[in-house]
């Protein structure tokens, strides 16, 4: 008995015989999955789905498990399993040959089939890749008879065509216009371009410099006292001057001037001025050697150029040359000699722009009259102007002005011991004499283009000669 017991133990140890208690059923093939009813759940795996009732069909009502059942032993891939036969009452489960992990090849796995499987009536399952790559028809039909399609599609197409046609038409029109320009227009454009290069933008031609509209032009001594700005204007002037009764040549009387000035601004710096153009009427006293008369005055004109023009500081400086041409009437002493040249400079400065009760402007001008012959007298002149722009309204400007004229040489035209300042060049014997006057007045701007000014002027120093007092009124029409 002891020998029989040792034989049974040896048989169990070598696997030849298995105990009856441990062998509850037939063993599954080595390496294959255990039966479903005896599977032990694996950690992390979802619980097995219940087996559906068997159908009397040749296909399973449920798609095969893609991952395949878990196995004990060597891991397997779905591609390596052989399909199992389908029997009634069981679920078809593909099975492939077991391949160790270390022997995997690099061939990519086939595309997954749809998780829900194919419908029963279908012969072959359709892959998800085929479904995703299929083209979807456009929701908008291309049928032109459909009014909705015409609205959504054709309208934008026709609009693009219309815009393209309009652009093409404009281009052809511009090209035609350019090609039909005549020779005269091309010459004008060439000349305009040259003028712009020399003198600036042509839109500024002949227009006054309005960057300094807070300034005003002087009123007294209008033929010599020049504004430093470049201006385009017409300025009618009326002047009445009383001759002193103690004047040994004229024995009293008076003088009237009716005329105008004109200025043309070529650019904001360059301008041409006509300082005197008009007529004179002279009446003398009863004991005078001259009867007086009425006639044309001398013509004074010339160029002017603004050298300094600073808008930030309100500073102006201009220089010019005046030609005094004696082409007037002899009855009013406007034909003396041949010509006088008067180079001059004029300066302007604004003060107190930020003052609430108004700013101030100062003008200074000086020049020298040089005769081209011995008939006319030569003289030096100096003028100053001061005004107040009341409350900076650019409307009313009270002003005060000073004028000084000093004769440096005698003329030889007439043997008289007197001279006529800016109204007459008698060619008399007045060398080394001079007179200072002061004028009080104002200027009122109806608009910047229409202004009126007036001043009353009297001598304050030196011999009065032909000047007892003067009244000057002007009216400016400015562009």
């Amino acid at each position: 008995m002891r020998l029989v017991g040792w034989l049974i133990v040896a048989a169990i140890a070598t696997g030849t015989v298995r105990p009856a208690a441990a062998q509850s059923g037939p063993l599954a093939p080595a390496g294959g999955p255990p039966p479903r009813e005896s599977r032990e759940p694996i950690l992390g795996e979802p619980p097995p789905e219940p087996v559906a009732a068997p159908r009397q069909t040749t296909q399973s009502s449920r798609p095969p498990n893609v991952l395949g059942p878990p196995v004990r032993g060597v891991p397997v891939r779905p591609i390596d399993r052989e399909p199992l036969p389908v029997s009634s009452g069981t679920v078809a489960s593909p099975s492939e040959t077991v391949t160790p992990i270390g022997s995997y090849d690099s061939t990519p796995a086939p595309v997954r089939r749809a998780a829900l499987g194919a419908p029963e009536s279908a012969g072959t399952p359709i892959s998800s890749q085929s479904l995703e790559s299929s083209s979807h028809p456009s929701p908008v039909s291309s049928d032109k008879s459909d009014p909705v399609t015409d609205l959504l599609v054709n309208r934008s197409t026709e609009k693009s065509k219309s815009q393209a046609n309009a652009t093409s038409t404009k281009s052809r029109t511009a090209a035609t216009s350019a090609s039909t320009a005549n020779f005269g227009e091309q010459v004008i454009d060439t000349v305009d371009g040259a003028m712009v290069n020399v003198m600036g933008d042509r839109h500024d031609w002949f227009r006054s410099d309005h960057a300094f509209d807070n300034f005003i032009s002087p009123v007294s001594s209008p033929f010599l006292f020049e504004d430093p700005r470049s201006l385009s204007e017409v300025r009618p002037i009326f002047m009445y001057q009383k001759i002193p009764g103690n004047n040994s040549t004229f024995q009293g009387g008076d003088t009237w001037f009716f005329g105008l000035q004109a200025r043309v601004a070529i650019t904001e710096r360059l301008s041409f001025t006509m300082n005197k153009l008009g007529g004179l009427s002279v009446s003398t006293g009863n004991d005078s050697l001259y009867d007086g008369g009425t006639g044309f005055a001398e013509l004074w004109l010339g160029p002017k150029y603004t050298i300094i023009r600073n808008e930030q500081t309100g500073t102006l400086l201009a220089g010019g040359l005046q030609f005094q041409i004696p082409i007037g009437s002899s009855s009013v002493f406007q034909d003396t000699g041949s010509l006088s040249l008067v180079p001059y400079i004029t300066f302007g400065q604004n003060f107190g722009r930020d003052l609430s009760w108004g700013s101030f402007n100062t003008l200074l001008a000086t020049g020298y009259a040089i005769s081209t012959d011995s008939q006319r007298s030569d003289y030096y002149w100096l003028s100053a102007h001061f005004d107040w722009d009341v409350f900076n309204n650019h409307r009313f400007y009270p002003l005060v002005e000073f004028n000084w004229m000093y004769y440096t040489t005698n003329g030889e035209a007439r043997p008289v011991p007197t001279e006529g300042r800016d109204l007459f060049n008698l060619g008399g014997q007045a060398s080394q004499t001079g007179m200072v006057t002061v004028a009080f007045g104002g200027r009122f701007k109806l608009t910047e283009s229409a202004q009126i000014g007036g001043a009353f002027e009297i001598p304050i120093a030196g011999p009065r000669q032909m000047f007892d007092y003067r009244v000057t009124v002007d009216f400016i029409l400015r562009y």
Side-chain angles (χ1 to χ4, degrees):
M1 291 298 294
R2 183 176 299 178
L3 179 60
V4 173
W6 284 111
L7 289 176
I8 293 172
V9 171
I12 293 172
T14 57
T16 304
V17 180
R18 192 173 183 180
Q23 194 172 352
S24 60
L27 295 175
R36 180 177 300 273
E37 56 275 5
S38 62
R39 281 184 56 189
E40 297 178 3
I42 300 175
L43 182 62
E45 179 184 5
E49 297 179 1
V51 179
R55 292 184 181 180
Q56 301 298 324
T57 60
T58 59
Q59 276 189 335
S60 171
S61 61
R62 175 182 173 188
N65 194 333
V66 177
L67 299 180
V71 296
R72 296 178 181 178
V74 181
V76 297
R77 296 187 307 171
I79 192 174
D80 300 324
R81 291 194 296 269
E82 293 290 339
L84 297 177
V86 180
S87 60
S88 177
T90 62
V91 178
S93 176
S95 175
E96 283 130 8
T97 305
V98 177
T99 303
I101 290 180
S103 63
Y104 283 175
D105 56 21
S106 60
T107 304
V111 179
R112 289 182 59 185
R113 291 177 292 176
L116 298 179
E120 294 181 2
S121 60
T124 304
I126 301 175
S127 65
S128 60
Q129 182 177 3
S130 300
L131 293 175
E132 292 175 355
S133 62
S134 63
S135 60
H136 298 279
S138 174
V140 180
S141 174
S142 60
D143 188 4
K144 294 185 178 180
S145 62
D146 185 1
V148 177
T149 301
D150 180 67
L151 177 64
L152 298 179
V153 179
N154 297 340
R155 186 178 66 175
S156 60
T157 304
E158 295 298 330
K159 182 177 180 181
S160 301
K161 292 181 179 179
S162 300
Q163 292 177 348
N165 293 336
T167 304
S168 177
T169 302
K170 290 181 179 180
S171 300
R172 289 196 300 270
T173 303
T176 303
S177 300
S179 63
T180 56
N182 57 40
F183 178 74
E185 293 176 347
Q186 295 177 1
V187 171
I188 291 174
D189 292 340
T190 302
V191 174
D192 285 348
M195 294 291 287
V196 169
N197 292 333
V198 175
M199 296 185 297
D201 190 353
R202 62 184 175 183
H203 294 92
D204 293 335
W205 295 357
F206 314 123
R207 183 178 177 84
S208 297
D209 184 2
H210 289 286
F212 299 87
D213 283 347
N214 55 316
F215 281 84
I216 62 170
S217 297
V219 178
S220 65
S221 189
F223 308 130
L224 294 172
F225 199 174
E226 182 64 27
D227 193 309
R229 296 173 292 175
S230 181
L231 302 172
S232 289
E233 65 183 19
V234 176
R235 183 181 181 185
I237 296 175
F238 164 77
M239 187 181 294
Y240 172 78
Q241 179 174 303
K242 178 65 175 176
I243 301 175
N246 60 358
N247 185 287
S248 59
T249 303
F250 297 99
Q251 301 294 319
D254 48 40
T255 301
W256 302 77
F257 175 85
F258 300 90
L260 57 83
Q261 294 180 329
R263 294 171 176 84
V264 178
I266 306 302
T267 68
E268 63 184 14
R269 294 181 181 270
L270 178 63
S271 62
F272 287 92
T273 66
M274 184 171 62
N275 305 87
K276 182 193 285 189
L277 176 66
L280 278 168
S281 178
V282 179
S283 62
T284 61
N286 295 330
D287 299 330
S288 174
L289 298 176
Y290 297 92
D291 296 333
T294 300
F296 289 103
E298 293 183 347
L299 177 63
W300 294 6
L301 51 80
K304 181 181 68 176
Y305 187 80
T306 303
I307 304 168
I308 297 176
R309 180 184 176 278
N310 193 319
E311 298 181 26
Q312 285 70 33
T313 61
T315 305
L316 291 162
L317 177 65
L321 178 63
Q322 186 182 86
F323 297 87
Q324 297 180 352
I325 307 171
I327 58 174
S329 304
S330 60
S331 60
V332 288
F333 316 109
Q334 301 296 302
D335 63 342
T336 305
S338 58
L339 177 68
S340 288
L341 301 177
V342 187
Y344 66 90
I345 59 174
T346 176
F347 171 81
Q349 181 63 57
N350 175 258
F351 300 96
R353 292 184 181 182
D354 299 330
L355 298 177
S356 60
W357 40 276
S359 61
F360 302 94
N361 300 305
T362 297
L363 301 176
L364 295 172
T366 186
Y368 186 75
I370 307 169
S371 176
T372 59
D373 56 31
S374 60
Q375 299 298 305
R376 298 172 66 87
S377 300
D378 296 344
Y379 58 88
Y380 170 79
W381 61 272
L382 174 66
S383 296
H385 163 101
F386 183 82
D387 70 64
W388 172 31
D389 183 0
V390 179
F391 299 117
N392 287 321
N393 290 326
H394 309 326
R395 288 290 183 180
F396 180 57
Y397 295 76
L399 60 84
V400 58
E401 295 174 345
F402 297 90
N403 299 290
W404 176 44
M405 183 176 288
Y406 182 80
Y407 287 92
T408 58
T409 61
N410 294 324
E412 298 177 359
R414 296 173 180 88
V416 294
T418 188
E419 269 296 350
R421 290 174 57 86
D422 56 347
L423 282 178
F424 310 96
N425 193 322
L426 298 174
Q429 309 301 307
S431 176
Q432 310 303 316
T433 62
M435 181 177 64
V436 179
T437 63
V438 60
F440 300 95
R443 187 173 293 282
F444 183 78
K445 294 183 178 180
L446 304 173
T447 65
E448 189 59 36
S449 300
Q451 308 174 20
I452 187 171
F456 179 76
E457 186 176 6
I458 57 175
I460 57 175
R464 296 191 175 191
Q465 298 181 354
M466 293 184 67
F467 195 105
D468 193 16
Y469 63 86
R470 177 187 287 182
V471 176
T472 304
V473 177
D474 66 19
F475 183 73
I476 296 175
L477 294 174
R478 180 172 295 164
Y479 170 61

